[in-house]
Amino acid sequence: MCVVMAVIVFVLGTFVTSHYKTILVPKDMYFPQFTTITRTHSSSVYLCHRSSPSSLTHGVEFIDTTGIVDLSHSMSDDELIKKAMKVPSVAEYPKKVAFMFLARGHLPLGLFWEKFFKGNEGLFSIYLHTSPDFVYEPPSSSVFYKRSIPSKPVQWGKPSMIDAERRLLANALLDFSNQRFILLSETCIPLFNFKTVYNYLINANKSFLSSFDDPRKMGRGRYNKRMGPTITLQDWRKGSQWFEVNRELAIEIVSDKIYYNVFQYHCLPPCYMDEHYLPTLVTKVRPDLTTNTTVTWTDWSGGGSHPTTFMRKDITEAFLNRIRYESNCIYNGVNSSICFLFARKFHPSTLEPLLKMASKLFGF
C-alpha cells in the first residue's frame, strides 16, 4: 500500500512541476549556455545572481566568467529583434559604450584599437559583424576575442546593409549596461583617448545621427513617390551611415517595421537605404533625440561615390590634429572645437605610423 501511495505522490508531483514550469517559463525564452555570475576576490569562487522581477519582464542577461555577454546564439533576425524590443530603455550601471564594427573580414587597424581600449575594461562592449565566410578568431588576449555576432552577407547600398546595422544594435541592446551605440567600419580610427570619447558620449544630451534635407538630385531626387503617404518628400532626409545613438533611440530603430518596409520595396538605385533610411526614420519618429550631425569625420571633398582613402604618407600629427580640433559645433548647447571622435577611411598601410603616434593621441 505504501509503495502504491508513493508512486501516486511522485506522479502528481511530476505533473504539478511540469505544469508550473510551462506557466512560469515561456517556451520562447532564450537561455544561452552561460548564467549570470560574478567573480569574487578568490579566483575559485563565483556567485550566481537572481534576476529581479522587473528585469524578467524584459528578458534575461547572461554573462560568462569573464564578464562578457555571450554572443553565440541561434536566434533568427525576427527572434533577435523581438528580444531587443523588450529591453529596458535605461541602461544599468556601470554604463557602457557599445562599439559596433561593420566589416567585411578582419580589422587591419585592430592593433591601434587595442591600444585605445586598453585599461578601460568594464566601460565598453565590442560587436563584430563580418562576412559569414570569415571564420578567423583573434587570440584570447584580444579585446575582439569572441565578439563576432551571428552575421549574414551584406551588399553595399542594399537593404542587407540596414539589416546588418539593426542586427548589431539588437545584439548590443541585450547587454543592459550599454548606453551608447557607435557604428564603425574596419577603416575607422579613434581620434582621442578612451576616457575622452567615453565622457563625450555618455554625457551627451542627444545622439549623433546625421540627417539633413538635400535639395540636389542625390538628395530629394532619390525620393520615390510610391513611398507616400507614409513618407512624403517633406519627410525625406539624407545623412552619414556612420551613426552614434543612445539606448532610447536604438530601441526605436530596431522596433521599426512600417518605414523599413516602405524603404525595402521603394528605395531602389539610385536610392540607397544606408544613406536615407535612418535619417528619414529618426526625422519621423524621434527628431528630438538627435543633433542631426555625426561624430565620425569623412573627407568627401574629392567628389564621387566614395570618400577619400588616406594612405601611410598622409598620417602626420598636423593632419590628425586638424581633424581633432579645427571644427566648430554645438555640444550640449555650448560651442565646441571637438566635433569628431572618429575618422575614416584609413588604409591598412596607416597602421604603423598610427601606432607610433598612439602615445601622443591617447596620452600614454
Side-chain angles (χ1 to χ4, degrees), residues 2 8 62 73 137 194 217 231 247 276 313 331 353 359:
C2 292
I8 293 173
F62 294 84
H73 59 73
E137 186 67 63
F194 181 88
K217 184 177 180 180
I231 299 172
R247 190 170 186 85
H276 297 280
K313 62 180 177 58
Y331 173 78
S359 60

Side-chain angles (χ1 to χ4, degrees), residues 112 190-193 320-321 324 354 357-363:
F112 188 63
L191 294 171
F192 296 91
N193 61 37
L320 294 176
N321 282 337
R324 281 157 35 108
L354 284 171
M357 298 180 62
S359 60
K360 290 185 177 180
L361 287 174
F362 300 152

Side-chain angles (χ1 to χ4, degrees), residues 156-327:
W156 178 77
K158 297 293 181 68
S160 59
M161 183 74 76
I162 300 301
D163 294 339
E165 294 175 10
R166 283 158 56 98
R167 202 172 291 127
L168 280 164
L169 277 175
N171 276 280
L173 280 167
L174 296 184
D175 184 337
F176 298 168
S177 296
N178 287 332
Q179 172 63 19
R180 311 291 299 208
F181 305 78
I182 176 75
L183 181 68
L184 302 157
S185 78
E186 69 266 36
T187 69
C188 288
I189 65 166
L191 294 171
F192 296 91
N193 61 37
F194 181 88
K195 287 183 172 58
T196 299
V197 170
Y198 178 86
N199 290 330
Y200 192 101
L201 296 179
I202 289 293
N203 295 318
N205 294 333
K206 295 186 176 184
S207 299
F208 301 94
L209 190 149
S210 175
S211 178
F212 58 94
D213 180 10
D214 187 348
R216 298 175 299 171
K217 184 177 180 180
M218 63 181 64
R220 290 188 191 177
R222 295 175 175 175
Y223 173 73
N224 187 337
K225 292 181 180 179
R226 293 188 179 89
M227 293 182 169
T230 306
I231 299 172
T232 66
L233 182 59
Q234 287 68 40
D235 300 325
W236 190 248
R237 294 293 185 274
K238 185 180 180 181
S240 169
Q241 174 186 5
W242 310 103
F243 62 80
E244 189 282 336
V245 297
N246 63 19
R247 190 170 186 85
E248 188 176 1
L249 190 52
I251 295 174
E252 291 280 358
I253 292 172
V254 300
S255 300
D256 172 56
K257 291 183 180 179
I258 297 174
Y259 302 106
Y260 176 86
N261 289 336
V262 172
F263 267 86
Q264 189 176 27
Y265 289 113
H266 300 302
C267 180
L268 305 173
C271 175
Y272 304 102
M273 281 187 69
D274 51 279
E275 293 185 25
H276 297 280
Y277 169 66
L278 287 181
T280 302
L281 170 66
V282 173
T283 298
K284 292 287 292 184
V285 298
R286 291 305 302 270
D288 58 306
L289 291 182
T290 179
T291 62
N292 295 329
T293 59
T294 179
V295 286
T296 300
W297 180 86
T298 309
D299 182 7
W300 288 96
S301 62
S305 302
H306 300 282
T308 301
T309 297
F310 298 100
M311 310 300 289
R312 178 190 179 100
K313 62 180 177 58
D314 299 312
I315 306 305
T316 65
E317 187 174 350
F319 167 67
L320 294 176
N321 282 337
R322 188 164 64 250
I323 303 173
R324 281 157 35 108
Y325 299 115
E326 294 184 12
S327 299

Side-chain angles (χ1 to χ4, degrees), residues 63-190:
I63 302 176
D64 69 6
T65 56
T66 62
I68 300 175
V69 175
D70 180 32
L71 298 184
S72 58
H73 59 73
S74 58
M75 286 185 285
S76 67
D77 281 353
D78 287 342
E79 291 171 329
L80 176 64
I81 293 296
K82 286 179 182 178
K83 293 289 182 187
M85 289 170 61
K86 298 177 182 178
V87 299
S89 59
V90 178
E92 295 179 351
Y93 287 92
K95 294 185 177 182
K96 297 188 293 187
V97 175
F99 293 81
M100 308 180 303
F101 290 86
L102 181 56
R104 286 163 290 189
H106 76 289
L107 301 179
L109 304 175
L111 289 178
F112 188 63
W113 281 100
E114 294 271 5
K115 289 186 175 294
F116 169 77
F117 287 118
K118 187 176 181 180
N120 296 285
E121 292 74 13
L123 296 178
F124 66 87
S125 301
I126 295 174
Y127 302 86
L128 304 175
H129 188 295
T130 61
S131 169
D133 299 328
F134 183 73
V135 294
Y136 170 76
E137 186 67 63
S140 59
S141 59
S142 170
V143 294
F144 299 105
Y145 177 66
K146 288 192 175 180
R147 301 312 296 162
S148 294
I149 67 169
S151 306
K152 293 183 179 180
V154 174
Q155 288 182 293
W156 178 77
K158 297 293 181 68
S160 59
M161 183 74 76
I162 300 301
D163 294 339
E165 294 175 10
R166 283 158 56 98
R167 202 172 291 127
L168 280 164
L169 277 175
N171 276 280
L173 280 167
L174 296 184
D175 184 337
F176 298 168
S177 296
N178 287 332
Q179 172 63 19
R180 311 291 299 208
F181 305 78
I182 176 75
L183 181 68
L184 302 157
S185 78
E186 69 266 36
T187 69
C188 288
I189 65 166

